[in-house]
Amino acid sequence: MRRVLTTLMILLVVLVAGLSALVLLVNPNDFRAYMVRQVEARSGYQLQLDGPLRWHVWPQLSILSGRMTLTAPGAQTPVVAADNMRLDVNLWPLLSHQLHVKQVMLKGAVIQLTPQSAAAPQQGAPVAPRENNLPQVEEDRGWSWDIASLQVADSVLVFQHDDDEQLTVRDIRLQMEQDSLHQAKLDFAGRINRNQRDLTLSFSAQVDARDYPHNLTAAIDNVKWQLQGGDVPTQGIEGEGRLQAQWQRAQQRLTLNDLSLRANDTSLTGNGSVTFGNLPVWALDLQFDSLNLDSLLPPEQTADNSGSPQQQGQAQNRLPRPVISTSLDIPQYEGLRSFTAQIGISAKSVRWRGMQFADVVGQFNNNAGLLSIPTLQGKMGNGQISLPGELDVRGEGSLATFQPKLDNVEIGTILKAFNYPIALTGSLSMAGDFSGPRIDAEDFRRHWQGEAHIDLKNSRMEGLNFQQLVQQAVARSSDVQSQENYDNATRLDSFTSDVSLDKGQMKFSDMQGSSALLSLTGEGEMDLVKEQADTRFEVRVMEGWKGESELIDFLKNTPVPLRVYGKWQTLNYSLQVDQLLRKHLQDEAKRRLNDWADRNKERQSGKDVKKLLEKM
């Protein structure tokens, strides 16, 4: 055992002595000019190393440098600038003064992929033809990565495309290793902070760069992200996923396959591609098992309606979100002008504004600012809903047109979803045509216009019982009695109306409703902004009367004028029952006098009564 320990100690001493001799005999600064020449020969980039190079022996034999920069030919700013660089090298080649780098490690690096850091052609340099079909030699392939391993820590990436806004990725941790066939493994983590939103992102990838720069493929998995701040929902958005990506340089196309992502409780699969150019072309086919927009989209600010105490209380408890300032007046939906796209979606389940949809199918086609939606339909409860339309933003403003069609959809769910304090339920069928400048619930209230025909089945309006109002008013003005009805709601088996909307003013015409108890006709207006209504009905109560009399028969066949008006949550009403009963009594008196005059037409008194009736 002592011999073994002695042998190990001798080997350790020899190793330490060898490394010490190597540090003394080989000066790392002898490789400075060699590294600069090799980088320029392989890529054309200029490598600058500030300060002396020095050895670092343990735990890995390395060369350490101070600040370094890497600049593209003709660029204004460096592509890479790092506070420290470490080159892990092989030991044995150093004995013959050869430098074999196993890994490059950058710490505190700033990587700038901006127009200022891009390579610029030299003045007077020849320009290659736009279409060059000649085969490329190795020297023409552009930048290539020939180092086995790269490590980047505590660094920053600044990305900017043309004149777009800069995107900064902070706290970068990158580890990349590749073999001799340019097949690499990559691990990345970073944080993006923009517009008061903070995105933390990490992923792993298997990259195949054997045919780079013509083709580049990557299998990306273990994708994890978390988005918080700004107008993101309070709980934030977090998720994970994977995908297959391929870049084809000749076609300038990025293809995505085997896409599988999760964001909160939303999950999707699909594939797609984007072809870059002056006008990028997107093609996406996405399938959602579940799509919960309520957990992904920021909550919309509701209108401040002074007539709604409940909404006032909610508004007081809601903290205002920060305002993102900008010096540019960006038109609404301007981004649609910068690309074309064909996007198909299907979803088994969709949740939006508390409404639950099933079997949703949609097709979205954008043509440089003309977004057409030929298909957007799904199931809602026991009903069907379809919302085809288009959005045109090619001019100075924007114009959205939609032709909604609903079949047996619960109206109470829709009213609640869009914060309309109207206590109404029933199965709604509707066909209409509406247009407005923006696709927004509040904008619909104030600026949209259009027409529709509605058909409401088995409706129930809380707060007013038309039958009870009429019968109680009649009972107070006559000896007619009615059955007790304590249900504070109006029920109709069917209700139809034509509707027109003009910038917040909704008009109802040709209203007709019926049930076993009553029937009604009417017209009216609603102010969607002030949440007020003014409707006028002609109501016939056909059941619920006690006894048999001519007056009851008269009331069953005579419409009673009823006006309902005021704030939606505190509606008022007025009935003209007294005038109706007075007219009935007058008509009854005239009828009886006329009958008496007919029986006594030969007498002078009968003739006098006839003359009196003719003057009345």
Side-chain angles (χ1 to χ4, degrees):
M1 186 65 180
R2 295 177 58 186
R3 294 181 179 180
V4 173
L5 292 176
T6 302
T7 303
L8 291 177
M9 291 298 298
I10 294 174
L11 291 176
L12 179 61
V13 170
V14 171
L15 178 61
V16 172
L19 291 176
S20 301
L22 179 65
V23 171
L24 294 175
L25 297 176
V26 180
N27 187 354
N29 290 281
D30 294 342
F31 299 111
R32 180 194 297 269
Y34 170 76
M35 288 188 291
V36 171
R37 289 195 306 270
Q38 286 296 313
V39 169
E40 184 175 9
R42 289 174 175 267
S43 64
Y45 284 61
Q46 296 293 324
L47 174 65
Q48 179 178 344
L49 301 173
D50 297 337
L53 304 180
R54 59 192 185 278
W55 287 112
H56 181 77
V57 177
W58 184 262
Q60 165 68 43
L61 182 61
S62 306
I63 297 177
L64 302 182
S65 77
R67 180 173 177 80
M68 61 80 63
T69 60
L70 186 66
T71 308
Q76 302 176 11
T77 58
V79 176
V80 180
D83 295 334
N84 297 283
M85 180 176 69
R86 189 186 78 197
L87 305 178
D88 296 339
V89 300
N90 290 324
L91 174 62
W92 298 115
L94 289 176
L95 300 178
S96 57
H97 281 72
Q98 294 180 359
L99 181 64
H100 286 186
V101 179
K102 295 191 298 183
Q103 176 174 271
V104 176
M105 193 276 183
L106 300 178
K107 186 175 179 62
V110 177
I111 306 168
Q112 299 189 70
L113 302 179
T114 65
Q116 292 75 23
S117 65
Q122 297 181 359
Q123 186 174 3
V127 179
R130 182 180 298 271
E131 296 182 358
N132 182 11
N133 296 324
L134 296 177
Q136 289 185 322
V137 296
E138 187 66 26
E139 290 77 6
D140 295 332
R141 291 171 59 90
W143 181 87
S144 61
W145 180 255
D146 288 332
I147 298 176
S149 181
L150 171 67
Q151 185 179 0
V152 179
D154 301 330
S155 300
V156 175
L157 168 64
V158 180
F159 177 80
Q160 183 182 18
H161 178 68
D162 295 336
D163 295 329
D164 296 340
E165 186 179 354
Q166 285 189 354
L167 179 66
T168 303
V169 185
R170 305 179 186 278
D171 301 334
I172 292 178
R173 298 189 305 276
L174 173 67
Q175 178 70 46
M176 189 179 80
E177 299 177 357
Q178 72 166 351
D179 56 22
S180 59
L181 298 177
H182 296 283
Q183 292 180 323
K185 180 181 179 182
L186 183 146
D187 292 302
F188 171 87
R191 180 174 58 86
I192 303 173
N193 186 277
R194 184 181 183 187
N195 292 339
Q196 300 178 348
R197 304 183 191 95
D198 190 84
L199 172 64
T200 302
L201 174 67
S202 65
F203 63 85
S204 300
Q206 298 286 340
V207 181
D208 188 347
R210 287 176 293 182
D211 196 24
Y212 179 84
H214 303 294
N215 292 285
L216 183 68
T217 60
I220 304 172
D221 55 13
N222 295 326
V223 180
K224 296 181 180 180
W225 72 84
Q226 185 175 34
L227 179 63
Q228 292 180 325
D231 57 354
V232 176
T234 306
Q235 74 276 13
I237 301 175
E238 61 88 21
E240 56 191 15
R242 69 176 189 275
L243 69 149
Q244 301 278 343
Q246 180 183 19
W247 166 252
Q248 296 171 293
R249 181 180 180 184
Q251 294 83 9
Q252 291 290 297
R253 180 183 297 129
L254 176 64
T255 304
L256 305 177
N257 293 309
D258 192 24
L259 179 64
S260 178
L261 299 177
R262 180 188 64 82
N264 290 349
D265 52 352
T266 294
S267 59
L268 72 89
T269 59
N271 56 73
S273 67
V274 54
T275 303
F276 294 95
N278 295 331
L279 203 65
V281 179
W282 287 83
L284 296 175
D285 184 14
L286 305 177
Q287 299 86 39
F288 295 87
D289 282 336
S290 62
L291 174 57
N292 188 349
L293 296 175
D294 290 345
S295 67
L296 299 179
L297 300 178
E300 293 192 19
Q301 299 293 330
T302 58
D304 184 13
N305 300 301
S306 58
S308 174
Q310 181 180 2
Q311 289 182 359
Q312 283 184 355
Q314 293 173 350
Q316 292 173 358
N317 295 330
R318 184 185 298 116
L319 295 176
R321 291 188 175 275
V323 178
I324 300 174
S325 61
T326 176
S327 60
L328 301 176
D329 185 14
I330 302 176
Q332 188 74 12
Y333 310 119
E334 185 188 51
L336 293 174
R337 305 175 188 171
S338 60
F339 68 95
T340 65
Q342 291 186 342
I343 302 174
I345 67 168
S346 61
K348 296 179 181 178
S349 172
V350 176
R351 183 176 179 84
W352 178 54
R353 287 180 167 267
M355 297 182 290
Q356 196 70 36
F357 303 89
D359 299 333
V360 176
V361 177
Q363 181 65 42
F364 303 84
N365 303 320
N366 180 47
N367 186 12
L370 179 60
L371 174 62
S372 62
I373 309 175
T375 303
L376 181 57
Q377 61 186 25
K379 298 178 181 178
M380 182 178 174
N382 295 323
Q384 297 275 347
I385 184 170
S386 176
L387 288 172
E390 70 175 25
L391 173 64
D392 191 349
V393 297
R394 294 173 296 180
E396 294 183 358
S398 59
L399 177 63
T401 58
F402 282 85
Q403 297 79 41
K405 185 176 181 181
L406 285 68
D407 186 15
N408 293 324
V409 173
E410 174 55 50
I411 189 174
T413 305
I414 298 177
L415 294 174
K416 181 180 178 181
F418 290 96
N419 304 311
Y420 287 97
I422 302 176
L424 176 66
T425 59
S427 298
L428 173 66
S429 297
M430 182 187 75
D433 191 346
F434 295 93
S435 63
R438 296 177 56 195
I439 304 176
D440 177 80
E442 186 62 25
D443 199 77
F444 179 86
R445 287 184 187 236
R446 299 177 180 273
H447 303 298
W448 278 56
Q449 55 191 4
E451 297 179 345
H453 177 78
I454 63 174
D455 187 345
L456 193 60
K457 301 293 186 183
N458 302 319
S459 64
R460 176 186 173 95
M461 186 179 70
E462 302 289 346
L464 290 176
N465 186 328
F466 286 4
Q467 174 201 2
Q468 189 179 60
L469 294 178
V470 172
Q471 290 181 333
Q472 288 179 348
V474 171
R476 286 193 298 266
S477 302
S478 68
D479 58 355
V480 174
Q481 298 297 316
S482 63
Q483 296 177 358
E484 294 292 341
N485 185 353
Y486 299 102
D487 190 3
N488 191 26
T490 298
R491 297 172 178 266
L492 293 174
D493 295 334
S494 66
F495 175 84
T496 62
S497 177
D498 293 325
V499 179
S500 64
L501 175 65
D502 186 13
K503 297 180 179 179
Q505 302 299 316
M506 182 174 286
K507 294 184 178 181
F508 296 84
S509 59
D510 192 22
M511 289 193 291
Q512 297 185 24
S514 64
S515 70
L517 299 178
L518 59 85
S519 67
L520 60 83
T521 61
E523 61 183 12
E525 300 84 27
M526 294 179 65
D527 191 323
L528 301 185
V529 179
K530 297 180 180 179
E531 297 189 351
Q532 295 178 349
D534 189 357
T535 53
R536 296 160 298 280
F537 299 99
E538 299 286 339
V539 182
R540 286 194 304 122
V541 178
M542 297 173 291
E543 297 291 340
W545 303 102
K546 285 185 178 181
E548 294 290 339
S549 69
E550 293 183 358
L551 180 56
I552 291 178
D553 293 337
F554 168 78
L555 291 171
K556 288 182 178 181
N557 295 282
T558 304
V560 177
L562 170 64
R563 181 188 175 204
V564 180
Y565 60 96
K567 291 285 187 180
W568 293 346
Q569 292 183 318
T570 56
L571 289 172
N572 303 310
Y573 72 93
S574 64
L575 276 167
Q576 300 178 12
V577 173
D578 293 340
Q579 297 90 326
L580 184 68
L581 294 177
R582 188 180 302 114
K583 184 177 183 302
H584 171 67
L585 293 176
Q586 291 174 351
D587 292 341
E588 183 65 19
K590 287 181 181 180
R591 184 185 65 80
R592 293 186 179 185
L593 287 172
N594 191 58
D595 292 342
W596 183 87
D598 288 340
R599 291 194 302 267
N600 298 275
K601 60 182 177 181
E602 300 299 333
R603 298 180 182 181
Q604 184 61 38
S605 58
K607 294 178 180 180
D608 293 340
V609 172
K610 267 291 188 186
K611 291 180 181 180
L612 180 61
L613 290 174
E614 291 175 356
K615 293 179 179 180
M616 293 178 63

